[in-house]
Amino acid sequence: MTSPLPSGETLPQPLLNPPASVAVFLVATIEPGGETAVRDVLGSLAGLVRSVGFPSPDGGLGCVAGVGSRAWGRVFGGPRPAALHPFRELAGPRHHAPATPGDLFFHLKAARTDLCFALAAELVRRLRGAVTVRDETQAFSYFDSRNLLGFVDGTENPVGQAAADAALVGDEDPGFRGGAYALVQKYLHDVDAWEALAVEAQEKIIGRTKLTNLELDAPGSHKDVNTVLGPDGAEQRILRSAMPFGRPGHGEFGTYFVAYARTPEIPETMLRKMFLGGPGAGPDPLLDYSRAVTGSLFFVPPAAFLEALPGS
C-alpha cells in the first residue's frame, strides 16, 4: 500500500509534523443546530492558526481537526470516508476500553503554552453554543520524550515517507487521499502502584530498559502485545502521538494517546490484543497500572477538503 507523499492537492493536516513541546486536546459533541458554526470553524481553521501564530513564527503552532462518524453527515454533504465508524468499546475479563461521546477532535500543538491556549480559547469562543466540550486536556513533553511512568514513549514511530505510508489514506479511498483516521484515548496511571514495582519488573512489563530505552526479549510485554503483523509477516505501523498530562494536586497522572492511521483496522487490532488478549498474547500487562477513561474515532480530512468544504 506504499504511495508517494501527497501532492499539493492532497496535503494532509499537520499530523506528520515532529512532536511539539505542548499540546491541547479538545473533544466536543455538536448540539442540534450547531452544524453551521462547526462548518465555519473548520473552513477557516487554517487561517485562524496562521493569525494566532503569525506574531510568533518560531512557535510552531499547528492544529489537526477530525470529525466523528455520527457527525459526518450532519456537517458535510457527499461521500464519507470508507472506514469511518464509531469507536468500538472493548470489555475484557479484566480491562475495559470505553467508548465516549465525540463529534469533533482538535489536536493543538506548539512550542509554547500560550499559543495553544490562545488558539483553544478562540476555537471555544467561536463554537460557544454550537458544541459541548466533553474533554479538554493540556499535555506536555516530559524530560527526554518520557511518559509519566518514566519510560521513553514513541520509540518505534515511523518518520518521513514511512510515516506518510502509515498514517495517510491512499488510493484505496481516492476521494479522501491525504486524510487519516485518529483513534483517541485518555489513560490514567496508578503511579503509586507502578513506583512500588522494582525497575526490573517495570522493564519486563514495558519490554524496554528504563534508563537506556533498549528493547528486551520480553514475550507478553506492552511492546510485544502492541506489535501487529500483516499477512506477509511485516509489522503494521501507525503514527503515535502520545503525550503526558497531569495534575499532581488531584492525583492525576496520565497519557493522552492518539493513533493516526490510514485505516482504523490496525490500531483497533492493537486494542483488541491489549484489552481482550489473543492466542499466546495479551492482555497488555501495562493495563494493570493504566486505565482507559475515554475512547473515540475520528477522520482527519486532508487540508484542501477543509478549505473547500462540500455542501451540507
Side-chain angles (χ1 to χ4, degrees):
M1 297 201 306
T2 300
S3 58
L5 285 168
S7 66
E9 295 179 354
T10 56
L11 281 176
Q13 296 186 56
L15 58 95
L16 297 178
N17 294 6
S21 300
V22 181
V24 172
F25 299 98
L26 295 171
V27 173
T29 50
I30 303 172
E31 295 298 315
E35 294 82 2
T36 298
V38 169
R39 283 176 57 87
D40 289 345
V41 166
L42 293 175
S44 61
L45 183 60
L48 178 59
V49 173
R50 286 193 297 269
S51 296
V52 174
F54 181 78
S56 306
D58 296 331
L61 180 63
C63 182
V64 175
V67 178
S69 177
R70 293 186 176 93
W72 188 271
R74 296 172 58 191
V75 178
F76 308 124
R80 57 186 283 127
L84 182 59
H85 57 259
F87 182 91
R88 292 167 177 159
E89 181 178 12
L90 296 172
R94 292 169 54 192
H95 307 297
H96 178 217
T100 51
D103 294 331
L104 288 176
F105 171 62
F106 295 100
H107 176 182
L108 291 66
K109 45 190 173 180
R112 289 170 26 192
T113 302
D114 59 336
L115 294 175
C116 281
F117 179 87
L119 180 57
E122 184 61 21
L123 286 172
V124 171
R125 186 190 70 80
R126 295 187 181 201
L127 290 169
R128 187 172 297 128
V131 307
T132 296
V133 176
R134 299 289 182 167
D135 185 69
E136 176 183 356
T137 300
Q138 300 186 30
F140 50 87
S141 61
Y142 187 64
F143 292 116
D144 50 339
S145 299
R146 294 181 183 267
N147 56 35
L148 297 186
L149 302 178
F151 284 77
V152 175
D153 212 349
T155 300
E156 298 295 332
N157 251 359
V159 296
Q161 182 65 57
D165 290 342
L168 303 181
V169 172
D171 292 336
E172 70 275 12
D173 193 3
F176 294 97
R177 191 171 187 271
Y181 293 89
L183 188 150
V184 177
Q185 288 181 296
K186 185 175 182 177
Y187 286 86
L188 294 177
H189 307 314
D190 186 344
V191 172
D192 290 340
W194 180 256
E195 291 182 347
L197 297 175
V199 170
E200 291 80 4
Q202 295 178 356
E203 292 176 335
K204 185 176 180 180
I205 290 171
I206 298 295
R208 290 185 177 276
T209 58
K210 191 169 187 177
L211 178 62
T212 58
N213 192 40
L214 296 178
E215 186 175 326
L216 298 172
D217 182 14
S221 66
H222 172 71
K223 179 193 177 300
D224 183 47
V225 171
N226 275 268
T227 299
V228 174
L229 303 180
D232 59 355
E235 183 176 351
Q236 303 294 289
R237 310 296 292 274
I238 61 173
L239 184 64
R240 292 172 169 85
S241 184
M243 293 191 73
F245 68 90
R247 296 184 299 166
H250 293 76
E252 182 181 84
F253 300 85
T255 296
Y256 203 98
F257 176 74
V258 183
Y260 291 114
R262 69 186 298 159
T263 169
E265 181 181 355
I266 298 173
E268 287 174 341
T269 299
M270 293 177 179
L271 289 190
R272 286 194 296 271
K273 290 179 64 179
M274 286 176 62
F275 285 85
L276 306 181
D284 189 338
L286 184 58
L287 294 179
D288 290 334
Y289 305 90
S290 187
R291 176 172 57 94
V293 294
T294 71
S296 304
L297 180 67
F298 304 92
F299 186 76
V300 176
F305 182 97
L306 296 184
E307 294 171 1
L309 292 177
S312 58

